[in-house]
């Protein structure tokens, strides 16, 4: 097998010869200028550790109360899911479903798939069977909008200060942490890295 590797531009399909990069550098397509890949030091173990961190932060975010709703005389503390259900009770079913989809269901599925891919490459019997989960992950990422929700939360903190307060506690800080960690995950768990890690695993298995 030749040592020369090729990479296809995902924008214009130009076949480019792969070049070796220094850490922090990126390779761009010579025809259309699209970024082909960048080099960072992320390893499978680091990415797996980060994926476990997102799972822990996500669990904390959904367990502890995130909001205090003021209802007449009393105040009720509620988690993210509880807040979404409160919207259902106030005849806002579309908003309720949208919040559940973008801040609970999609991130949960995303974290689950990320863990599945990484654990499968690390210890699975068939480390190559990650293409379908990877495609699903790429489609799912735009629907997972914890950061958009966080922004909405901060706006509502100012706008609705008579109706609800944000509880700056474990759930709030996990949400903030989750935004940062998910952004880093997005740059580490790329199809190219997944391909490289599975190839490494395969070559180790044949030694
Ligand atoms: Zn191109």
């Amino acid at each position: 097998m030749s040592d020369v590797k090729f990479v296809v531009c995902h924008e214009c399909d130009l076949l480019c010869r792969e070049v070796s990069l220094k850490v922090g550098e990126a390779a761009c397509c010579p025809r259309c200028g699209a970024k082909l890949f960048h080099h960072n030091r992320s390893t499978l173990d680091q990415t797996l550790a980060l994926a476990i961190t997102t799972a822990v932060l996500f669990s904390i975010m959904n367990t502890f109360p995130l909001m205090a709703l003021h209802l007449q005389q009393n105040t009720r503390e509620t988690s993210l899911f509880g807040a979404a259900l409160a919207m259902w009770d106030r005849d806002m079913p579309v908003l309720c479903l949208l919040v559940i989809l973008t801040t609970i269901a999609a991130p949960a599925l995303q974290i689950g798939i990320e863990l599945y891919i990484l654990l499968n490459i690390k210890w699975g019997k068939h480390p190559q069977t990650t293409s379908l989960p990877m495609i699903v992950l790429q489609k799912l990422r735009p629907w997972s909008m914890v950061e958009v929700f966080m922004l909405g939360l901060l706006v509502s903190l100012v706008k609705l200060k008579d109706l609800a307060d944000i509880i700056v506690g474990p759930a709030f800080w996990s949400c903030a942490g989750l935004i940062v960690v998910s952004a880093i995950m997005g740059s580490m768990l790329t199809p190219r890295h997944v391909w490289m890690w599975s190839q490494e695993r395969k070559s180790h298995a044949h030694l």
Side-chain angles (χ1 to χ4, degrees), residues 147-173:
E147 56 270 51
V148 176
F149 173 77
M150 188 73 170
L151 197 68
L153 213 62
L154 291 173
V155 171
S156 57
L157 183 73
V158 179
K159 289 267 178 198
L160 305 171
K161 60 177 184 292
D162 297 332
L163 289 172
D165 281 321
I166 307 296
I167 301 171
V168 184
F172 179 86
W173 291 117

Side-chain angles (χ1 to χ4, degrees), residues 8-16 28-36:
V8 177
C9 172
H10 53 88
E11 292 290 336
C12 71
D13 287 341
L14 181 70
L15 192 64
C16 311
C28 296
C29 170
R31 183 158 68 188
C32 71
K35 190 161 123 183
L36 297 174

Side-chain angles (χ1 to χ4, degrees), residues 9-169:
C9 172
H10 53 88
E11 292 290 336
C12 71
D13 287 341
L14 181 70
L15 192 64
C16 311
R17 190 188 302 168
E18 200 175 302
V19 286
S20 57
L21 298 174
K22 292 193 186 106
V23 173
E25 284 182 338
C28 296
C29 170
R31 183 158 68 188
C32 71
K35 190 161 123 183
L36 297 174
F37 58 89
H38 66 276
H39 184 78
N40 59 20
R41 277 203 203 92
S42 58
T43 63
L44 177 60
D45 287 341
Q46 286 168 343
T47 313
L48 184 58
L50 218 57
I52 294 167
T53 310
T54 55
V56 172
L57 288 175
F58 185 75
S59 314
I60 297 173
M61 184 180 98
N62 283 292
T63 311
F64 287 89
L66 189 62
M67 271 180 232
L69 301 171
H70 306 303
L71 308 159
Q72 281 105 35
Q73 299 303 318
N74 26 13
T75 302
R76 198 182 65 178
E77 291 194 347
T78 175
S79 66
L80 189 54
F81 188 63
L85 289 184
M87 289 175 192
W88 184 277
D89 289 341
R90 290 180 186 189
D91 291 329
M92 293 185 276
V94 178
L95 202 59
C96 162
L97 292 176
L98 212 60
V99 168
I100 290 178
L101 176 73
T102 57
T103 64
I104 300 172
L109 197 60
Q110 183 185 334
I111 293 167
I113 294 175
E114 285 170 349
L115 280 173
Y116 170 80
I117 292 172
L118 294 166
L119 291 172
N120 189 37
I121 300 174
K122 181 103 178 117
W123 287 298
K125 285 209 174 79
H126 307 285
Q128 303 89 336
T129 55
T130 49
S131 48
L132 182 64
M134 204 59 213
I135 293 167
V136 177
L137 189 63
Q138 299 288 91
K139 299 252 183 256
L140 196 68
R141 272 178 176 158
W143 284 97
S144 171
M145 293 189 267
V146 180
E147 56 270 51
V148 176
F149 173 77
M150 188 73 170
L151 197 68
L153 213 62
L154 291 173
V155 171
S156 57
L157 183 73
V158 179
K159 289 267 178 198
L160 305 171
K161 60 177 184 292
D162 297 332
L163 289 172
D165 281 321
I166 307 296
I167 301 171
V168 184

